[in-house]
């Protein structure tokens, strides 16, 4: 999940000698990353290379802990907010800390860790700036060339660690954390988006050590490691169609809605304007600054907005400005550009993380651009809105110079000690419900909770039903009945303001967090706050 954030932390590397031993415990000490609740910071030294038994090099994982507020304690929950590459400490130590305690029931210590993705691969921004594949007749070739330079630069600058940042090694790091916590030796985990691939991997590698594991916004692990995940855009167009349907249904909250226009009319109008930007980009002048809005920028903004329905009124206002060429209204569209993947990644931008982690994980490679065209066409045919956005990953994978060491090579057909809870949204533009269902089919006893909302993961359009189900699972181990579906609590283009939604937890303290978990208003408010984490 590509949340917007700024990393406060860094990873340090060292080479072990007689004075540098791998630590087996975490030394916690107070830190000040959160202003309302006590947060502790810690480090854990782990092997840099798990496969090379002759290596004595280590790295220090950076962690934070938010302590449980209720008794008896039920162990710790580790989190991965997605990416790949989002710093886990920012997620736990940020302003959503009270919301996470409410969402999980308050009986667990919450652990955030920065995965071994930092320092990032020093590769530059050239691949991130490459055009989308349908933006022009020459875009595919230009992007292929940019990704070639990107891969070669990464190899030149990061060849010593390029094989050591894959998901298999992060899974081992997680189990090192579990061991160092000194609890029951079992992993409790909540992973979002890419975090589900990490969760599926660690569960397949260590099935006998899994306790409660929630995988929210699921990737199909087989397609993730194959590197050709056309399934991922299954519901992209359905999700974007919901934007236009919701707009027409709530014209009072949707600037784009106008008398006599149907959802299909608005959709066609959008694509007419979008395609015109290929040939004649619009220069908006906002607050005295000139900003170019072309096909690439607008599609990137739409991608950003598809993460959370809370941004849809802003997107609608901005798109209306684009249609009528109103620069004042276009300020709303440009504001969403800040949420484009990139803001969440320190120093190098998302391509350094996508390459270092996912491209190293996947098996797909090719040195022939022509051979990729049939695969690209599958993406284009599957989704009009995101097909040419997400298919560009293939051009990275094909040329990637590193293959992650220590990756999982099994078939994922395992039985975990405690069944996994998969959460899949049936209108998720990036991780469709079918991927959750296909993943669950491999893990014996697991259950898929169907979340009936738009946006990415269950946080994209919060549901009290979904929140209560996840909390009950963490607190009591209770799984929903197979086929359970939860509908979102707030509709599209809701008239309820963010301030009203967040009011129940606006002044929460450690003392109020310790109250009985029956406060549904507080739980729903917590999920809304999580959905807007930045």
């Amino acid at each position: 999940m590509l949340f917007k954030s700024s990393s406060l932390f860094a990873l340090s590397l060292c080479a072990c000698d007689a004075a540098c031993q791998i630590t087996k415990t975490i030394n916690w000490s107070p830190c000040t990353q959160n202003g309302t609740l006590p947060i502790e910071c810690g480090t854990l030294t782990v092997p840099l290379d798990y496969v090379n038994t002759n290596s004595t090099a280590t790295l220090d994982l950076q962690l934070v802990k938010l302590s449980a507020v209720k008794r008896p304690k039920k162990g710790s929950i580790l989190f991965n907010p997605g990416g790949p590459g989002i710093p886990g400490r920012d997620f736990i130590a940020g302003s959503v800390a009270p919301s996470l305690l409410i969402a999980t029931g308050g009986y667990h210590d919450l652990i955030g860790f920065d995965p071994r993705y930092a320092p990032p691969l020093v590769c530059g921004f050239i691949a991130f700036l490459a055009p989308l594949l349908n933006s022009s007749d020459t875009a595919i070739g230009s992007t292929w060339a940019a990704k070639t330079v990107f891969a070669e630069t990464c190899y030149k600058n990061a060849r010593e660690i390029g094989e050591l940042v894959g998901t298999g090694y992060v899974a081992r790091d997680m189990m090192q954390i579990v061991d160092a916590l000194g609890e029951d030796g079992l992993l409790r985990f909540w992973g979002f988006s890419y975090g589900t691939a990490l969760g599926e991997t660690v569960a397949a590698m260590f099935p006998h050590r899994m306790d409660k594991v929630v995988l929210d916004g699921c990737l199909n692990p087989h397609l993730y490691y194959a590197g050709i995940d056309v399934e991922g855009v299954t519901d992209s167009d359905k999700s974007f169609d919901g934007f236009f349907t919701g707009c027409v249904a709530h014209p009072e909250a949707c600037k784009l809605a106008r008398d006599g226009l149907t959802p299909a009319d608005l959709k066609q109008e959008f694509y007419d304007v979008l395609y015109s930007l290929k040939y004649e980009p619009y220069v908006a002048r906002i607050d005295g600054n000139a900003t170019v809005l072309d096909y690439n920028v607008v599609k990137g903004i739409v991608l950003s907005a598809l993460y959370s329905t809370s941004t849809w009124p802003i997107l609608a206002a901005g798109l209306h400005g684009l249609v009528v060429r109103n620069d004042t209204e276009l300020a709303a569209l440009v504001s969403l550009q800040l949420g484009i993947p990139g803001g969440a990644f320190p120093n190098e931008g998302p391509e350094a993380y996508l390459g270092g982690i996912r491209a190293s994980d996947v098996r797909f490679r090719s040195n022939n651009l022509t051979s990729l065209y049939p695969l690209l066409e599958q993406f284009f045919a599957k989704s009009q809105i995101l097909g040419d956005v997400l298919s560009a990953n293939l051009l990275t994978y094909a040329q990637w110079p590193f293959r992650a060491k220590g990756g999982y090579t099994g078939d994922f057909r395992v039985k975990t000690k405690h069944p996994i809870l998969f959460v899949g949204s049936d209108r998720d533009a990036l991780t469709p419900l079918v991927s959750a269902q296909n993943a669950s089919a491999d893990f014996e006893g697991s259950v898929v909770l169907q979340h009936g909302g738009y946006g990415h993961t269950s946080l994209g359009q919060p549901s009290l039903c979904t929140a209560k189900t996840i909390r009950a699972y963490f607190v009591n181990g209770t799984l929903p009945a197979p086929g359970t579906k939860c509908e979102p609590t707030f509709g599209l283009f809701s008239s309820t303001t963010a301030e009203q939604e967040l009011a129940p937890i606006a002044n929460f303290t450690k003392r109020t967090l310790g109250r009985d978990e029956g406060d549904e208003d507080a739980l729903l408010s917590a999920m809304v706050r999580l959905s807007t984490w930045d």
Side-chain angles (χ1 to χ4, degrees):
M1 189 175 189
L2 299 174
F3 288 115
K4 185 177 69 175
S5 177
S6 59
S7 178
L8 303 174
F9 312 104
L11 185 85
S12 63
L13 300 177
C14 68
C16 258
D17 53 27
C20 176
Q21 300 297 322
I22 295 179
T23 58
K24 298 299 184 183
T25 60
I26 304 168
N27 295 317
W28 298 105
S29 60
C31 52
T32 58
Q33 273 69 40
N34 179 274
T36 58
L37 294 173
I39 299 288
E40 294 180 276
C41 292
T43 61
L44 177 65
T45 303
V46 300
L48 177 62
D49 189 344
Y50 286 99
V51 172
N52 182 1
T53 57
N54 293 321
S55 172
T56 57
T58 66
L59 59 83
D60 291 333
L61 297 179
Q62 307 294 322
L63 305 95
V64 294
K65 178 171 69 173
L66 180 60
S67 295
V69 293
K70 297 179 182 178
R71 298 295 184 270
K73 280 191 177 185
K74 296 179 179 287
S76 299
I77 301 173
L78 276 63
F79 288 80
N80 182 285
I86 300 296
R89 293 198 297 171
D90 288 354
F91 188 51
I92 298 297
S95 59
V96 299
S99 299
L100 287 170
L101 282 171
I102 295 169
T104 54
Y107 291 97
H108 300 85
D109 292 343
L110 308 185
I111 308 293
F113 67 100
D114 292 353
R116 54 168 61 207
Y117 313 147
L121 306 189
V122 183
C123 307
F125 279 99
I126 187 169
F128 179 52
L129 298 175
L132 297 179
L133 300 189
N134 276 334
S135 61
S136 75
D137 293 341
T138 61
I140 294 177
S142 297
T143 299
W144 175 264
K147 304 269 185 171
T148 301
V149 174
F150 176 67
E152 291 180 3
T153 305
C154 283
Y155 182 77
K156 177 182 178 182
N157 294 334
R159 55 184 176 272
E160 293 183 359
I161 63 169
E163 299 176 318
L164 308 176
V165 295
T167 299
Y169 272 21
V170 179
R172 290 173 173 86
D173 289 343
M174 291 171 64
M175 300 314 298
Q176 293 267 330
I177 294 171
V178 169
D179 289 338
L181 289 170
E183 297 171 345
D184 56 6
L186 301 179
L187 173 67
R188 286 162 287 276
F189 178 67
W190 192 350
F192 300 90
S193 194
Y194 161 77
T196 67
L198 174 59
E200 290 155 357
T201 301
V202 72
M205 293 174 69
F206 305 96
H208 59 292
R209 300 189 61 187
M210 296 299 106
D211 192 13
K212 287 84 173 180
V213 173
V214 174
L215 303 181
D216 190 342
C218 298
L219 293 166
N220 181 325
H222 301 283
L223 299 180
Y224 172 84
Y225 282 104
I228 307 173
D229 190 5
V230 180
E231 182 180 279
V233 296
T234 296
D235 292 334
S236 300
D237 288 353
K238 180 167 68 172
S239 180
F240 195 38
D241 287 348
F243 167 77
F244 297 109
T245 301
C247 179
V248 170
H250 300 281
E252 74 286 350
C254 182
K255 185 75 172 180
L256 195 61
R258 280 152 286 157
D259 289 343
L261 294 183
T262 66
D265 294 332
L266 293 181
K267 179 179 177 180
Q268 187 60 53
E269 179 181 63
F270 165 79
Y271 279 110
D272 288 344
V273 172
L274 178 68
Y275 292 138
S276 74
L277 295 176
K278 290 184 181 182
Y279 310 100
E280 190 176 352
Y282 180 69
V283 179
R285 291 168 178 83
I286 300 168
D287 296 330
N289 298 311
T291 300
V292 175
L293 295 172
D294 62 9
Y295 177 92
N296 299 289
V297 170
V298 172
K299 266 216 171 180
I301 290 170
V302 170
L303 169 62
S304 177
L306 288 175
Y307 278 79
S308 174
T309 59
S310 65
T311 65
W312 286 13
I314 302 171
L315 177 65
L319 291 181
H320 182 261
L322 188 61
V323 169
V324 302
R325 297 301 197 257
N326 182 317
D327 287 5
T328 300
E329 292 181 352
L330 276 169
L333 199 66
V334 173
S335 73
L336 286 177
Q337 192 172 4
L338 298 175
I340 292 175
F345 301 87
N347 305 323
E348 280 296 314
E351 281 285 354
Y353 295 88
L354 175 70
I357 303 160
R358 188 161 183 172
S360 297
D361 281 339
V362 305
R363 296 186 297 273
F364 178 75
R365 295 290 187 278
S366 176
N367 59 8
N368 185 345
L369 174 58
T370 303
S371 69
L372 300 186
Y373 276 88
L375 298 174
L376 298 177
E377 288 296 336
Q378 291 182 43
F379 277 91
F380 301 160
K382 195 80 167 179
S383 173
Q384 185 177 12
I385 190 62
L386 294 186
D388 66 338
V389 178
L390 300 184
S391 59
N393 292 341
L394 285 175
L395 278 64
T396 299
Y397 305 156
Q399 306 180 77
W400 196 243
F402 303 115
R403 292 187 183 273
K405 297 176 70 172
Y408 176 70
T409 58
D411 61 6
F412 290 94
R413 293 189 175 276
V414 299
K415 181 178 182 179
T416 53
K417 181 178 179 65
H418 193 281
I420 296 172
L421 174 59
F422 290 88
V423 182
S425 301
D426 56 15
R427 300 175 184 89
D428 190 320
L430 297 161
T431 51
L433 176 63
V434 66
S435 292
Q437 293 168 334
N438 287 335
S440 175
D442 286 328
F443 290 91
E444 184 178 341
S446 66
V447 173
V448 176
L449 172 65
Q450 184 175 347
H451 176 76
Y454 292 89
H456 184 39
T457 80
S458 68
L459 303 180
Q461 189 180 10
S463 161
L464 179 60
C465 169
T466 299
K468 290 173 69 174
T469 303
I470 292 173
R471 185 169 65 180
Y473 174 75
F474 274 126
V475 174
N476 303 314
T478 306
L479 282 166
T484 298
K485 181 176 181 179
C486 288
E487 296 295 344
T489 301
F490 299 107
L492 301 177
F493 294 91
S494 172
S495 59
T496 304
T497 67
E499 288 76 13
Q500 290 171 323
E501 293 170 352
L502 294 172
I505 63 168
N507 299 304
F508 261 47
T509 64
K510 183 175 181 180
R511 179 180 177 184
T512 53
L513 282 169
R515 293 175 181 170
D516 183 80
E517 60 264 23
D519 188 344
E520 294 185 349
D521 288 340
L523 177 58
L524 181 58
S525 183
M527 301 310 293
V528 171
R529 181 64 190 91
L530 287 171
S531 74
T532 60
W533 177 64
D534 59 5

